[in-house]
Amino acid sequence: NAGVMQNPRHLVRRRGQEARLRCSPMKGHSHVYWYRQLPEEGLKFMVYLQKENIIDESGMPKERFSAEFPKEGPSILRIQQVVRGDSAAYFCASSPLAGVDTQYFGPGTRLTVL
Amino acid sequence: GENVEQHPSTLSVQEGDSAVIKCTYSDSASNYFPWYKQELGKRPQLIIDIRSNVGEKKDQRIAVTLNKTAKHFSLHITETQPEDSAVYFCAARKSSGDKLTFGTGTRLAVRP
């Protein structure tokens, strides 16, 4: 049973470009969470999605950031017009349908904005 | 919203000694408290968790205690080994499916 997968593992973008980060949850998991970790800091919640629904986006900046989890395919976190302050590690986590608390984390995507 | 504070931010112990990391949370509705270990450049890995209906849980050298009245929980690592060196994060959550709120992390160094 493959774990949570994220790609790319490393992404370099210039200011003003778009970044697309992908997350494939563990098989059988329908809850996906995105967290951001700035250098030398803890993880901050961004958004929580279930298939085709955004459940909680209270941690996501209102502008330039969006997320989706389509019926088919991975969850995608999209950052438009990236700025240097977006440089961070972005982790996604997944959990099963219901009744289980544990969130399993992917390896992360390290975004560097030049 | 929930706020989780974690102390200390750094901790250095001699190999074989015990290490204790403490966290407090603000929302009395929180009922799930996991601990994650993160090695440099790696993903956070769950090492132990506890639910609010339990006061203590142990797994080999690792134990977690929870005091719901005081709203704090602690991670205890006994007989520390160099491979325990990492950053440890506590977290809290209100209900199944809800987001995790993380503490700021403790960098543990185990001196051989």
Side-chain angles (χ1 to χ4, degrees):
Chain A
N1 187 10
V4 179
M5 300 177 69
Q6 288 186 251
N7 66 81
R9 295 291 307 277
H10 300 273
L11 183 60
V12 179
R13 285 288 178 265
R14 297 191 180 278
R15 281 178 296 171
Q17 291 184 320
E18 178 180 289
R20 280 186 182 236
L21 288 62
R22 288 176 290 277
C23 169
S24 296
M26 289 178 70
K27 186 176 181 180
H29 288 195
S30 62
H31 300 230
V32 167
Y33 311 80
W34 286 92
Y35 295 87
R36 177 164 65 177
Q37 186 174 35
L38 295 171
E40 301 296 318
E41 292 190 13
L43 294 101
K44 301 289 187 185
F45 168 78
M46 298 182 73
V47 61
Y48 162 37
L49 311 101
Q50 294 181 18
K51 285 283 188 181
E52 299 183 277
N53 284 304
I54 296 175
I55 307 302
D56 180 356
E57 56 182 348
S58 59
M60 198 155 67
K62 294 286 186 289
E63 297 180 354
R64 302 190 298 109
F65 286 73
S66 62
E68 63 177 3
F69 188 16
K71 186 176 180 180
E72 300 291 337
S75 175
I76 295 174
L77 179 67
R78 182 184 178 202
I79 311 172
Q80 296 178 290
Q81 300 174 328
V82 296
V83 300
R84 289 220 173 106
D86 296 332
S87 295
Y90 292 83
F91 290 94
C92 83
S94 73
S95 65
L97 180 62
V100 177
D101 295 314
T102 306
Q103 292 184 17
Y104 299 89
F105 280 81
T109 293
R110 279 152 186 82
L111 173 65
T112 301
V113 180
L114 302 177
Chain B
E2 174 66 278
N3 182 50
V4 177
E5 295 189 356
Q6 183 172 347
H7 300 280
S9 58
T10 60
L11 180 59
S12 180
V13 300
Q14 192 71 40
E15 181 177 359
D17 287 350
S18 295
V20 180
I21 303 170
K22 299 181 179 181
C23 288
T24 59
Y25 60 99
S26 61
D27 193 336
S28 56
S30 290
N31 59 6
Y32 173 67
F33 308 93
W35 285 88
Y36 286 85
K37 174 184 180 182
Q38 188 178 31
E39 297 177 1
L40 188 63
K42 301 287 183 63
R43 76 184 74 192
Q45 288 195 306
L46 180 72
I47 55 172
I48 196 166
D49 56 13
I50 191 167
R51 290 163 179 81
S52 59
N53 58 344
V54 175
E56 184 175 358
K57 183 177 178 181
K58 188 173 182 180
D59 182 4
Q60 299 183 333
R61 297 186 296 109
I62 295 173
V64 57
T65 58
L66 171 65
N67 183 328
K68 285 191 297 182
T69 303
K71 290 190 284 188
H72 68 69
F73 55 112
S74 301
L75 177 71
H76 305 254
I77 305 174
T78 58
E79 300 173 20
T80 53
Q81 301 167 2
E83 51 265 38
D84 294 330
S85 297
V87 179
Y88 291 81
F89 293 97
C90 63
R93 195 175 74 186
K94 288 193 288 185
S95 63
S96 182
D98 204 359
K99 62 189 178 189
L100 289 170
T101 300
F102 283 86
T104 49
T106 296
R107 186 176 300 277
L108 173 65
V110 179
R111 305 186 304 274

